Amino acid sequence: MAASRRPTLADVAREVGVSAKTVSRVLNEDGPASARTREQVLAAVAKLGFQPNLMARNIRVGGPDATIGLVIPDVANPFFGAVARAIEDTVRERGLTLLMGSSADDPARERALTDQFLARRVSILMVVPSVGADHTHLKSHREAGLPVIFLDRPGVGLSTDRVVSSNRVGAHDGVAHLIAHGHRRIGFLGDLPLKLYTRRERLAGYRSALDEATIPYDRSLVANAHDQQSAEAATAQLLDLADPPTALFAGNNIMALGIVAELARTKRKDVAVVAFDDIALAEALEPALTVVAQNAQELGEAAATIALTRLDGTRTRARTITIPTRLIARGSGEQPAPGTNA
Amino acid sequence: MAASRRPTLADVAREVGVSAKTVSRVLNEDGPASARTREQVLAAVAKLGFQPNLMARNIRVGGPDATIGLVIPDVANPFFGAVARAIEDTVRERGLTLLMGSSADDPARERALTDQFLARRVSILMVVPSVGADHTHLKSHREAGLPVIFLDRPGVGLSTDRVVSSNRVGAHDGVAHLIAHGHRRIGFLGDLPLKLYTRRERLAGYRSALDEATIPYDRSLVANAHDQQSAEAATAQLLDLADPPTALFAGNNIMALGIVAELARTKRKDVAVVAFDDIALAEALEPALTVVAQNAQELGEAAATIALTRLDGTRTRARTITIPTRLIARGSGEQPAPGTNA
DNA sequence: CTGAAAGCGCTAACAA
DNA sequence: TTGTTAGCGCTTTCAG
C-alpha cells in the first residue's frame, strides 16, 4: 500500500553487491564489465523495475535535454497537428521527444510556454509566433547554441531560421484562378488579428492578383473572422452587400469551413470559391472545393531538418525556407461569373 | 562567439555577493528576504538571463516532473488532436505541460514512448493503447502512485482508470437510424486491425441493432480499411456486391472520409450513410452527413480531471468513464431504401 | 575489470 | 534575514 520510492542506481547496486558506477557502466555500455556482473545487474534491474532517472542523468552530463519544445496555436487544428506529426517523425530517429503546448495565439501563453521549455533545457525550440509576441529574449539562447526555429510566421526581435508557406504567391494564384474565370468582384475572408503575418501576406497576394488584372481594390469586399461561426456570418454579410462579390477567397482552412458551410446552408452554388489550405472532403463537396494547398508535412519536415543541422553545429546565417503551395482546381473556382459582360 | 555556459544559481549569487540559497529563496518566494537583497537578485537574474534548471530542481525536490505524458496514435488525426487540446487546457492551470508522442498504433513505439516518459518521471501517464501492447509493466508505477489513464480504449494487463466513448450504444443508435428508414442491407466499414477495441465495440453495436430488427448478420457486408484510400476501395467493393447494401455505416472518421469521397466520386446519392465520429463540413455535404458524434473535448477533459484527482491522492478503485455519443441526423441516414417492399 | 570520491544545479534542514 | 552543509540520482575522474 505504501507508495514506495522508485528504485535508484544505488538500490540496484546494493541488490547485486556492487558499486553504483558499475551498474551505470552496464546500463550505458560504458567501460568494460564482466559477463557475470552484467548478468547480475540486468537481473536486478528487471527485478526491481529500475528505470534510470533521465533528469538526474541530464544534470550530471550537462548537455541539453533530448526534447524539442514546440509551441503552436492549437493542436486541435488539423494543419498544425499535421505539422507537429511531421516534426515528430523527423526527429524521432535522433531520439528527440516532443514537448508541446498550444498558445491559442496569446503572446502571454506563448511566452509562458517558451520559458517553461527553456527551463527544461530543450535541445530545440520551435515556435509559431503569436501576434504581439516579442522574441528578443531568445537571442541569447540562440547565440549560446540553441536552435530556434520560427514556423509558419516570422518572429519579432530575433533573426533566426524560419519556414513558411508561399503565402503571397499562393494567394495570388488562387485569386488569379478566379479572375481567369471571369470574376471581378472577389471577396477576401481573412483571419484575425489583422496583423497576422499569414493574413497580411495572403491579402497582399490577393491585391497583387487584382492589380495584375487592373481590378480596383474594394475594401468593402474584405472581411474578417476568427472562427468558423464568425466566418459564416461574415460570408453572409459579404453576400448581402448591394454589389456583392461573385467569388470568395478564403484566407485559411477555418475561413474555408465557414464559407462552405454558409453557402451550403443557403443553398448557393453560384458563388465561386477558392480556399487557402486544403481541407478534408474538399473533393466531395458540390462543387468540389478548389484550394491553394499548403504542405504541412513538408513544412514540419523542413523545420525539423534545419533544426537538426543546427544542433549538429552548423553556424551559417539564418535561413528562410519557403514551402511552395499548390493550386488544386476542383471546380468551385470555375463557377461562372454572372453578368460579367451581360 | 563561444557558446557560453548557461548561468546557474551560483553565478547569480556571485554576481550579487550573496549565497546561492538566498537567490533560491527569492526566486521561489520561499523564506524571507530583505527588499534590498530581493531587488539585487532580481536585477542580476535579469542581467544574466538566468533561468533556473527545472531538471535540477526536480531532482532535489524528489517529486515527479510537472509534465503529463501522452501517447496517442496520431497527432495529425483531428479527433486525437482535439483530445490532446482538451487535456492540455484542463491541466494547464495546475502547471502541467504536455510531453507527447504518436504511436502510429505500433506497440513497440508505444512502449518506447511510455518508457521514455517514465524515465522523465512524468506526473501523469495517459495512453491510447495500441493493439498488441501489454501494460503489465505499468502496474508497479501505478501502485507507486503514478496516475495511469487509458484513453479511448482499455489497456491490457493493468486495471486502471479509463475513459471511452459509448461505442456500442452509439453504433447501435446509428445503425438503428438506418433501419428506421427502411434499410435492411447495411454495410459496415471498420477500422483495422480487427481486434481494435473501438472497432469491435462498434461492430457489436451494429450487430445488436440488426438483431433487434431481426435482420440476419451477413459477413459479406462487413469490410475493413486502414486509411482513406483503402476505405474508398472497400466502399466500391461493397457496392459492387451482387446484392449490395443500400446503406453504409462508417466505423470511424477516416472510414467516413473514404465512404463519402467514393460516393461523391461515383456520384451516388442513393446510398444512405451514417458515420461514427463527426467530421468537418459534414453539414455541407449533399446529402448532409448523419453522424454519431464523439465528444473529443469531454473525453480529454474527463481523463485529465480524473488524473488530477488521482494526483491529489484519491485511491479509490479504477473507474471507467463512458462519454456519451450523440446521433446528429443531418439527412444522409434518411436516403430512401430502394425496393424495401417493392 | 571495479570502486571511491567529487560534483552537476538545485533545495531541505539546520544553524547563526 | 542570511549562510552552511548535505544530498537528490546520476556520471566523471581518477585510483585501484
Side-chain angles (χ1 to χ4, degrees):
Chain A
M1 186 70 17
S4 60
R5 200 175 44 78
R6 300 271 256 284
T8 74
L9 253 198
D11 294 329
V12 178
R14 202 172 310 115
E15 176 85 12
V16 182
V18 82
S19 84
K21 177 63 212 183
T22 299
V23 177
S24 169
R25 267 197 274 260
V26 170
L27 293 181
N28 296 319
E29 294 179 352
D30 193 21
S34 76
R36 194 170 128 61
T37 309
R38 157 174 276 100
E39 269 180 48
Q40 287 183 312
V41 167
L42 261 25
V45 163
K47 180 185 169 198
L48 299 182
F50 169 76
Q51 248 165 336
N53 185 325
L54 224 55
M55 293 188 289
R57 176 175 215 286
N58 275 131
I59 282 269
R60 177 67 250 226
V61 175
D65 187 26
T67 50
I68 164 167
L70 174 65
V71 181
I72 58 181
D74 183 8
V75 224
N77 182 321
F79 173 70
F80 291 112
V83 171
R85 177 65 199 267
I87 294 168
E88 191 193 343
D89 285 349
T90 308
V91 301
R92 189 182 41 249
E93 60 182 11
R94 287 283 291 262
L96 295 175
T97 309
L98 229 55
L99 205 44
M100 217 198 48
S102 301
S103 68
D105 273 319
D106 173 353
R109 253 159 87 171
E110 178 189 320
R111 177 61 186 264
L113 285 167
T114 53
D115 279 349
Q116 170 84 211
F117 295 164
L118 290 171
R120 291 180 179 288
R121 302 297 190 260
V122 293
S123 291
I124 292 168
L125 187 60
M126 298 193 28
V127 181
V128 177
S130 306
V131 170
D134 182 87
H135 305 87
T136 314
H137 66 111
L138 296 177
K139 207 165 173 182
S140 59
H141 292 95
R142 189 181 120 86
E143 280 164 0
L146 173 72
V148 177
I149 316 277
F150 289 134
L151 222 59
D152 190 52
R153 315 166 188 167
V156 171
L158 174 68
S159 162
T160 191
D161 300 312
R162 58 198 206 203
V163 183
V164 297
S165 283
S166 60
N167 293 294
R168 198 183 286 233
V169 172
H172 169 277
D173 293 352
V175 174
H177 178 78
L178 290 168
I179 294 172
H181 287 86
H183 295 275
R184 296 185 63 84
R185 284 195 68 70
I186 302 173
F188 178 94
L189 180 49
D191 230 2
L192 283 174
L194 298 177
K195 296 185 132 190
L196 192 66
Y197 170 78
T198 47
R199 187 212 143 90
R200 290 165 73 139
E201 286 296 302
R202 293 168 196 174
L203 184 61
Y206 163 85
R207 293 192 66 161
S208 74
L210 294 184
D211 281 355
E212 258 178 40
T214 63
I215 299 174
Y217 173 65
D218 181 349
R219 285 195 60 153
S220 68
L221 290 180
V222 175
N224 322 300
H226 58 280
D227 57 18
Q228 180 173 338
Q229 255 198 329
S230 56
E232 291 172 16
T235 301
Q237 281 195 348
L238 279 174
L239 297 178
D240 263 357
L241 289 176
D243 187 5
T246 61
L248 295 173
F249 184 79
N252 72 11
N253 56 352
I254 309 291
M255 300 302 105
L257 296 183
I259 290 175
V260 170
E262 177 64 15
L263 293 182
R265 194 180 65 78
T266 54
K267 306 215 187 317
R268 294 201 51 173
K269 295 192 186 283
D270 57 318
V271 181
V273 180
V274 171
F276 203 100
D277 207 1
D278 205 0
I279 58 182
L281 289 189
E283 75 276 15
L285 295 168
E286 299 176 23
L289 187 66
T290 292
V291 302
V292 177
Q294 293 191 83
N295 194 333
Q297 172 158 354
E298 206 185 318
L299 205 128
E301 239 178 72
T305 302
I306 191 170
L308 292 176
T309 309
R310 294 293 179 194
L311 199 58
D312 292 337
T314 303
R315 293 299 207 128
T316 50
R317 69 183 194 67
R319 289 213 294 152
T320 293
I321 299 179
T322 302
I323 306 297
T325 51
R326 192 164 57 95
L327 179 70
I328 305 178
R330 295 196 179 107
S332 72
E334 295 154 33
Q335 295 305 91
T340 303
N341 256 340
Chain B
M1 189 65 21
S4 62
R5 198 176 44 81
R6 299 271 255 285
T8 74
L9 254 198
D11 294 327
V12 178
R14 201 173 311 116
E15 176 86 10
V16 183
V18 81
S19 85
K21 177 66 208 186
T22 298
V23 177
S24 168
R25 267 197 274 261
V26 170
L27 293 181
N28 296 319
E29 293 178 352
D30 193 21
S34 76
R36 194 171 128 60
T37 309
R38 158 173 276 100
E39 270 179 48
Q40 287 182 311
V41 167
L42 261 26
V45 164
K47 179 185 168 199
L48 300 182
F50 169 74
Q51 247 164 337
N53 185 325
L54 225 54
M55 292 188 289
R57 176 177 215 285
N58 276 132
I59 281 265
R60 177 65 250 225
V61 175
D65 188 26
T67 50
I68 163 166
L70 174 65
V71 181
I72 58 182
D74 183 8
V75 224
N77 182 322
F79 174 70
F80 292 112
V83 171
R85 178 64 199 268
I87 294 169
E88 191 193 345
D89 286 348
T90 308
V91 302
R92 187 181 45 247
E93 60 182 11
R94 288 284 292 262
L96 295 174
T97 309
L98 231 55
L99 206 44
M100 217 198 49
S102 301
S103 68
D105 273 319
D106 173 352
R109 253 159 88 171
E110 178 189 319
R111 178 61 186 264
L113 285 167
T114 55
D115 279 349
Q116 170 84 211
F117 294 164
L118 290 171
R120 291 180 180 287
R121 302 297 189 258
V122 293
S123 292
I124 291 168
L125 188 60
M126 298 193 28
V127 181
V128 177
S130 306
V131 170
D134 181 89
H135 305 87
T136 313
H137 66 112
L138 296 177
K139 207 164 172 183
S140 59
H141 292 97
R142 189 181 119 87
E143 280 163 2
L146 173 72
V148 177
I149 315 276
F150 288 135
L151 224 60
D152 190 53
R153 316 167 188 167
V156 171
L158 173 67
S159 161
T160 191
D161 301 310
R162 56 197 207 204
V163 183
V164 297
S165 283
S166 60
N167 293 295
R168 198 182 286 232
V169 171
H172 167 278
D173 293 352
V175 174
H177 179 78
L178 290 168
I179 294 173
H181 286 86
H183 295 275
R184 296 185 62 83
R185 285 195 69 70
I186 302 173
F188 178 94
L189 180 49
D191 230 2
L192 284 174
L194 297 178
K195 296 185 131 192
L196 192 66
Y197 168 78
T198 48
R199 187 212 143 90
R200 290 166 73 140
E201 286 295 303
R202 293 168 195 175
L203 184 61
Y206 163 86
R207 293 193 66 161
S208 75
L210 294 185
D211 282 354
E212 258 178 39
T214 63
I215 299 173
Y217 174 65
D218 181 349
R219 285 195 62 155
S220 68
L221 292 180
V222 175
N224 322 300
H226 59 279
D227 57 18
Q228 179 173 338
Q229 255 198 329
S230 56
E232 290 172 16
T235 300
Q237 281 195 348
L238 279 173
L239 296 177
D240 262 359
L241 288 177
D243 186 6
T246 62
L248 294 173
F249 184 79
N252 72 11
N253 56 352
I254 310 292
M255 300 302 107
L257 295 184
I259 290 175
V260 170
E262 176 64 15
L263 293 182
R265 193 180 65 79
T266 54
K267 306 216 187 317
R268 293 202 52 175
K269 295 192 186 283
D270 57 318
V271 181
V273 180
V274 172
F276 203 100
D277 208 0
D278 205 0
I279 59 181
L281 288 189
E283 75 277 15
L285 296 168
E286 297 175 25
L289 187 66
T290 292
V291 302
V292 177
Q294 294 192 81
N295 195 333
Q297 173 159 352
E298 206 184 318
L299 206 129
E301 240 178 71
T305 302
I306 193 170
L308 292 176
T309 308
R310 296 290 180 196
L311 200 57
D312 291 337
T314 303
R315 291 302 204 126
T316 50
R317 69 185 194 68
R319 290 213 293 151
T320 294
I321 298 179
T322 304
I323 306 298
T325 51
R326 192 163 58 95
L327 179 71
I328 305 178
R330 295 197 178 105
S332 72
E334 294 153 34
Q335 295 304 92
T340 304
N341 256 340

